[in-house]
Amino acid sequence: MLVLLLTGWSAAYGEDGSRLWLRLEAAHNTATITGVKGTAMTELQTYWQGGPVVLKRQKGIARDGYTIKSQGEKIVIAAANDAGLLYGAYHLLRLQQCTTQNAQSIKDLDIKEQPAYDLRILNHWDNPNGTVERGFAGRSIFLNPDPERMKMYGRANASIGINGTVLNNVNAKPEALSSESLQKAKSIADQLRPYGIRVYLSINFASPIKVGGLKTADPLNPDVIHWWKDKVNEIYKLIPDFGGFLVKANSEGEPGPQDFGRTHADGANMLAKALQPHKGIVMWRAFVYAPQSPDRANQAYLEFMPLDGQFADNVIIQIKNGPVDFQPREPYSPLFTAMQKTPMMVEFQITQEYLGAANHLVYLAPMWKEFFSFVKPASLRAMAGVANIGDDTNWCGHHFAQANWYAFGRLAWNPELTSKEIAEEWLAQTFSTQSNQNSQSSILNSQLVNVMLDSREACVSYMMPLGIHHIFAGTHHYGPEPWYNPRGVRADWTPPYYHRADSVGLGFDRTMQGSGNVRQYPDELCRLYNDINTCPENLLAWFHHVPWDHRMKSGRTFWDELCHKYDDGVHEARHFLAVWDAMQPYVDSQRFDEVQHKLRIQARDAEWWRDACLLYFQTFSHRPIPQDMEHPVHNLNEMMQFRIPITMYENPEYGYNK
Ligand code: GCV
């Protein structure tokens, strides 16, 4: 008992990552928490170690917002609703975890917070059979929802302000709307309600046919309209605060209104009308592209711009941050600055489909902040993130992938926070312990914060520098396969469609002379991107077919620069491992070993990426790899034979490691 008391919660419960950033120790002397009863009170009673706290409801504070003020010895949290009180409570607990002092020393508080968006939502790509599309952390947590796990999920999300969750894959199976599935959704909704989280469902547009037995799913057909109305009413009887539908329509083989000669607006508005009496919403995705399109990056704009202003008030168009598909670097999707009369929300991908799955440490906040440097946060209505959560003990497969879930929530609350602020908060909560809380934790935090901040750019360097994109392995998308081009696979699912390597150079010509994609951007950016001499070098091969001898700002040729970028990425990945190795004295052994194992994979994968891409592109460039860098150590033919035998529902155990 004495040992337990001395070493605290951490030792008693182990450090397996299951408590995420909420590694709160139960308060020994229950603080006096008075005022509004509810989850906020329970959380503070259990974990707050400071002085008395009063929870009070107050009009005039924005929805979900709160104030925290010190009044003498007391701290008063005020909010207009229960969710606001809960967010205030978690703010206080975060201060407690981040302070190197005692919680009793937290004084003189005068905090006022309100979220940037009313809707801060996770999208789970979970299937009814328990698989998770692009999920790298095990199986669906919703398959057999474990009450303890659901509680932790609710707490974790509420602690960072997330207030909505879409329970199933956008590639929605019709049975998502069966009575059995709706009963399960109800049970999950009941468990998440105390944490201010509403549930939403992805729907299959052909459900009236597949579930309802109708002959059509035409959104203008009266029987179809009636079917959806009844279905929506059925859902609200079970889940009175149901949030609404997320829809992937006429995309990658999913059914949609175009199958019946109707538009996205016809489809979305029909559903919106059924949901409107219940205050439900439709999130209609703009992720569309046709196999015959000469430039996939043009497609969403072409389909959605003509519909600008035609959507019902309770429809939000959900647009991926980039125009292609969650690549390590893309320009922002031009729809964001083009559409003027339609509510829009951004969809980020928290799960690392194209960024090393759950094997690479890649902190995504800098990527999302880059998006916000082009798209004003205020121009959006909401923020969605494709979850990286599964039933793995540590929830996300990689301990550092938890930081991306955390950062998504924090940015959805306040997109003005810096990547560094968020990383520091997360590190302090996730890794500090009683024994390393002071100087040692600051060593750990200051070293790791730089690793986190540099990790996205490093990943771009060793995977796809200078604007190269979509050169991943087919199907599972792990590792390089710039040569992947099997017969019968649609062209826009193969890397040569994107990199267009030939004896002249590399990259997709999206200029006015090329696909014209630059025209979708505002004039100033259009001009900037259109000219190879002004186009930012980090997007060069995105917008241009760059000649191998094009002179770069560094004075090197494009080919030499490409080689160096890949090599720099490899060195960075090795550096991350070296920094982590030096952290051993400050990190518990389980998490130290697990992260070290992953960083070793990452360093080897970075080498694999460099070697595969440079040797393959060299077959087009016919130029030597510069002498002043490390040369490939793997053999191209062998790498081209290598396949990882996994599906899109699994995390690879390792990459190429001959
Ligand atoms: C859910 C990409 C992914 C698919 C995903 C799709 C989408 O194409 O590879 O797995 O499907 O995006 O966002 O709808």
Short mmCIF file of all heavy atoms in Angstrom, two decimals, residues 125 133-134 169-171 248 251-252 285 287 289 296 320 325-326 347 353-354 477 648, ligand 1:
data_model
loop_
_atom_site.label_atom_id
_atom_site.label_comp_id
_atom_site.label_asym_id
_atom_site.label_seq_id
_atom_site.Cartn_x
_atom_site.Cartn_y
_atom_site.Cartn_z
N TRP A 125 -14.17 5.53 -39.56
CA TRP A 125 -14.40 4.73 -40.77
C TRP A 125 -14.52 3.27 -40.36
O TRP A 125 -13.84 2.38 -40.87
CB TRP A 125 -13.23 4.94 -41.76
CG TRP A 125 -13.26 6.27 -42.47
CD1 TRP A 125 -14.21 7.25 -42.37
CD2 TRP A 125 -12.29 6.76 -43.41
NE1 TRP A 125 -13.89 8.31 -43.19
CE2 TRP A 125 -12.72 8.04 -43.83
CE3 TRP A 125 -11.11 6.24 -43.94
CZ2 TRP A 125 -12.01 8.81 -44.76
CZ3 TRP A 125 -10.39 7.00 -44.85
CH2 TRP A 125 -10.84 8.28 -45.26
N GLU A 133 -11.56 0.99 -41.85
CA GLU A 133 -10.88 1.34 -43.10
C GLU A 133 -9.79 2.36 -42.79
O GLU A 133 -10.03 3.36 -42.12
CB GLU A 133 -11.90 1.91 -44.11
CG GLU A 133 -11.27 2.20 -45.46
CD GLU A 133 -12.26 2.15 -46.62
OE1 GLU A 133 -13.36 1.59 -46.46
OE2 GLU A 133 -11.93 2.68 -47.70
N ARG A 134 -8.59 2.06 -43.28
CA ARG A 134 -7.41 2.90 -42.98
C ARG A 134 -7.19 3.04 -41.48
O ARG A 134 -6.68 4.05 -41.00
CB ARG A 134 -7.53 4.28 -43.62
CG ARG A 134 -7.94 4.27 -45.08
CD ARG A 134 -7.03 3.45 -45.93
NE ARG A 134 -7.48 3.38 -47.33
CZ ARG A 134 -6.92 2.61 -48.24
NH1 ARG A 134 -5.92 1.81 -47.93
NH2 ARG A 134 -7.35 2.60 -49.47
N ASN A 169 -18.27 4.04 -41.15
CA ASN A 169 -17.52 4.38 -42.36
C ASN A 169 -18.36 5.17 -43.37
O ASN A 169 -19.53 4.84 -43.59
CB ASN A 169 -17.06 3.06 -42.99
CG ASN A 169 -16.02 3.23 -44.06
OD1 ASN A 169 -15.70 4.34 -44.47
ND2 ASN A 169 -15.47 2.11 -44.53
N VAL A 170 -17.73 6.14 -44.02
CA VAL A 170 -18.43 6.86 -45.11
C VAL A 170 -18.74 5.93 -46.27
O VAL A 170 -19.67 6.20 -47.04
CB VAL A 170 -17.61 8.07 -45.61
CG1 VAL A 170 -17.66 9.21 -44.62
CG2 VAL A 170 -16.18 7.68 -45.95
N ASN A 171 -17.96 4.87 -46.43
CA ASN A 171 -18.34 3.81 -47.37
C ASN A 171 -19.37 2.99 -46.61
O ASN A 171 -19.09 1.91 -46.09
CB ASN A 171 -17.14 2.94 -47.75
CG ASN A 171 -16.15 3.70 -48.62
OD1 ASN A 171 -16.53 4.62 -49.35
ND2 ASN A 171 -14.88 3.35 -48.52
N LYS A 248 -21.21 10.18 -48.31
CA LYS A 248 -20.28 10.06 -49.43
C LYS A 248 -21.12 9.57 -50.60
O LYS A 248 -21.62 8.45 -50.58
CB LYS A 248 -19.18 9.06 -49.08
CG LYS A 248 -18.25 8.72 -50.24
CD LYS A 248 -17.11 7.81 -49.76
CE LYS A 248 -16.20 7.37 -50.89
NZ LYS A 248 -15.05 6.56 -50.42
N SER A 251 -19.03 8.74 -55.37
CA SER A 251 -17.59 8.80 -55.19
C SER A 251 -17.07 7.40 -54.96
O SER A 251 -17.66 6.66 -54.14
CB SER A 251 -17.30 9.68 -53.97
OG SER A 251 -15.98 9.50 -53.52
N GLU A 252 -16.04 7.03 -55.67
CA GLU A 252 -15.40 5.72 -55.50
C GLU A 252 -16.41 4.59 -55.45
O GLU A 252 -16.33 3.70 -54.60
CB GLU A 252 -14.52 5.72 -54.24
CG GLU A 252 -13.39 6.75 -54.31
CD GLU A 252 -12.38 6.65 -53.19
OE1 GLU A 252 -12.75 6.28 -52.06
OE2 GLU A 252 -11.21 6.99 -53.45
N ARG A 285 -20.17 15.19 -48.42
CA ARG A 285 -18.75 15.27 -48.78
C ARG A 285 -18.53 15.70 -50.23
O ARG A 285 -19.29 15.30 -51.12
CB ARG A 285 -18.07 13.92 -48.55
CG ARG A 285 -18.03 13.52 -47.09
CD ARG A 285 -17.47 12.14 -46.95
NE ARG A 285 -16.04 12.10 -46.73
CZ ARG A 285 -15.21 11.26 -47.33
NH1 ARG A 285 -15.64 10.44 -48.27
NH2 ARG A 285 -13.94 11.24 -47.02
N PHE A 287 -15.71 14.95 -51.70
CA PHE A 287 -14.63 14.08 -52.17
C PHE A 287 -15.15 13.26 -53.35
O PHE A 287 -15.67 12.16 -53.18
CB PHE A 287 -14.17 13.17 -51.02
CG PHE A 287 -13.09 12.21 -51.42
CD1 PHE A 287 -11.83 12.65 -51.76
CD2 PHE A 287 -13.34 10.84 -51.44
CE1 PHE A 287 -10.84 11.76 -52.13
CE2 PHE A 287 -12.35 9.93 -51.80
CZ PHE A 287 -11.09 10.40 -52.16
N TYR A 289 -14.48 12.24 -57.63
CA TYR A 289 -13.63 12.29 -58.81
C TYR A 289 -14.00 11.14 -59.73
O TYR A 289 -14.48 10.12 -59.28
CB TYR A 289 -12.14 12.25 -58.45
CG TYR A 289 -11.70 11.03 -57.67
CD1 TYR A 289 -11.08 9.97 -58.31
CD2 TYR A 289 -11.92 10.94 -56.30
CE1 TYR A 289 -10.67 8.84 -57.61
CE2 TYR A 289 -11.52 9.81 -55.59
CZ TYR A 289 -10.90 8.77 -56.25
OH TYR A 289 -10.51 7.67 -55.56
N ARG A 296 -7.69 14.69 -61.58
CA ARG A 296 -8.54 14.42 -60.42
C ARG A 296 -8.66 15.65 -59.52
O ARG A 296 -9.69 15.87 -58.89
CB ARG A 296 -7.93 13.23 -59.66
CG ARG A 296 -8.54 12.96 -58.32
CD ARG A 296 -8.01 11.65 -57.80
NE ARG A 296 -8.29 11.53 -56.37
CZ ARG A 296 -7.94 10.50 -55.63
NH1 ARG A 296 -7.31 9.48 -56.18
NH2 ARG A 296 -8.22 10.44 -54.34
N LYS A 320 -12.21 17.75 -48.08
CA LYS A 320 -10.87 17.39 -47.58
C LYS A 320 -9.94 18.60 -47.72
O LYS A 320 -10.11 19.40 -48.64
CB LYS A 320 -10.31 16.21 -48.37
CG LYS A 320 -11.03 14.90 -48.09
CD LYS A 320 -10.31 13.72 -48.73
CE LYS A 320 -11.09 12.43 -48.44
NZ LYS A 320 -10.44 11.22 -48.97
N ASP A 325 -6.13 13.86 -52.00
CA ASP A 325 -6.50 12.89 -50.97
C ASP A 325 -5.49 12.80 -49.83
O ASP A 325 -4.71 11.85 -49.78
CB ASP A 325 -6.67 11.50 -51.61
CG ASP A 325 -7.36 10.51 -50.69
OD1 ASP A 325 -7.84 10.94 -49.63
OD2 ASP A 325 -7.42 9.32 -51.03
N PHE A 326 -5.53 13.73 -48.89
CA PHE A 326 -4.76 13.58 -47.65
C PHE A 326 -3.29 13.26 -47.86
O PHE A 326 -2.70 12.44 -47.12
CB PHE A 326 -5.36 12.48 -46.77
CG PHE A 326 -6.78 12.71 -46.33
CD1 PHE A 326 -7.71 11.68 -46.37
CD2 PHE A 326 -7.19 13.94 -45.83
CE1 PHE A 326 -9.02 11.86 -45.94
CE2 PHE A 326 -8.50 14.13 -45.40
CZ PHE A 326 -9.41 13.09 -45.45
N GLU A 347 -12.36 18.54 -43.72
CA GLU A 347 -12.13 17.17 -43.23
C GLU A 347 -10.62 16.93 -43.24
O GLU A 347 -9.99 16.91 -44.30
CB GLU A 347 -12.84 16.18 -44.15
CG GLU A 347 -12.59 14.72 -43.79
CD GLU A 347 -13.34 13.75 -44.73
OE1 GLU A 347 -14.51 14.00 -45.07
OE2 GLU A 347 -12.71 12.75 -45.13
N GLU A 353 -3.13 7.47 -43.08
CA GLU A 353 -3.22 6.61 -44.26
C GLU A 353 -2.01 6.79 -45.17
O GLU A 353 -1.49 5.81 -45.73
CB GLU A 353 -4.50 6.93 -45.03
CG GLU A 353 -4.59 6.20 -46.36
CD GLU A 353 -5.89 6.50 -47.12
OE1 GLU A 353 -6.76 7.22 -46.61
OE2 GLU A 353 -6.01 5.99 -48.25
N TYR A 354 -1.58 8.02 -45.34
CA TYR A 354 -0.49 8.31 -46.26
C TYR A 354 0.75 8.82 -45.52
O TYR A 354 1.63 9.39 -46.14
CB TYR A 354 -0.93 9.35 -47.28
CG TYR A 354 -2.06 8.92 -48.19
CD1 TYR A 354 -3.36 9.39 -47.99
CD2 TYR A 354 -1.84 8.04 -49.25
CE1 TYR A 354 -4.39 9.01 -48.84
CE2 TYR A 354 -2.87 7.65 -50.09
CZ TYR A 354 -4.14 8.14 -49.89
OH TYR A 354 -5.17 7.76 -50.72
N HIS A 477 -1.48 1.32 -49.26
CA HIS A 477 -0.86 2.66 -49.21
C HIS A 477 0.33 2.80 -48.27
O HIS A 477 0.63 3.92 -47.84
CB HIS A 477 -1.92 3.74 -48.86
CG HIS A 477 -2.97 3.90 -49.90
ND1 HIS A 477 -4.16 4.57 -49.70
CD2 HIS A 477 -3.02 3.45 -51.19
CE1 HIS A 477 -4.89 4.54 -50.80
NE2 HIS A 477 -4.22 3.86 -51.72
N MET A 648 -6.43 -3.01 -46.34
CA MET A 648 -6.50 -1.60 -45.93
C MET A 648 -7.08 -1.43 -44.52
O MET A 648 -7.43 -0.34 -44.11
CB MET A 648 -7.33 -0.79 -46.93
CG MET A 648 -8.76 -1.24 -47.04
SD MET A 648 -9.74 -0.08 -47.98
CE MET A 648 -9.88 -0.92 -49.53
C1 GCV B 1 -13.31 5.74 -46.88
C2 GCV B 1 -9.36 7.48 -49.84
C3 GCV B 1 -9.14 6.24 -49.01
C4 GCV B 1 -10.41 5.44 -48.87
C5 GCV B 1 -11.49 6.36 -48.29
C6 GCV B 1 -11.66 7.55 -49.24
C7 GCV B 1 -12.68 8.54 -48.73
O1 GCV B 1 -9.58 7.14 -51.18
O2 GCV B 1 -8.12 5.49 -49.58
O3 GCV B 1 -10.16 4.37 -48.02
O4 GCV B 1 -12.70 5.68 -48.14
O5 GCV B 1 -10.43 8.21 -49.36
O6 GCV B 1 -12.26 9.48 -48.08
O7 GCV B 1 -13.86 8.37 -48.95
#
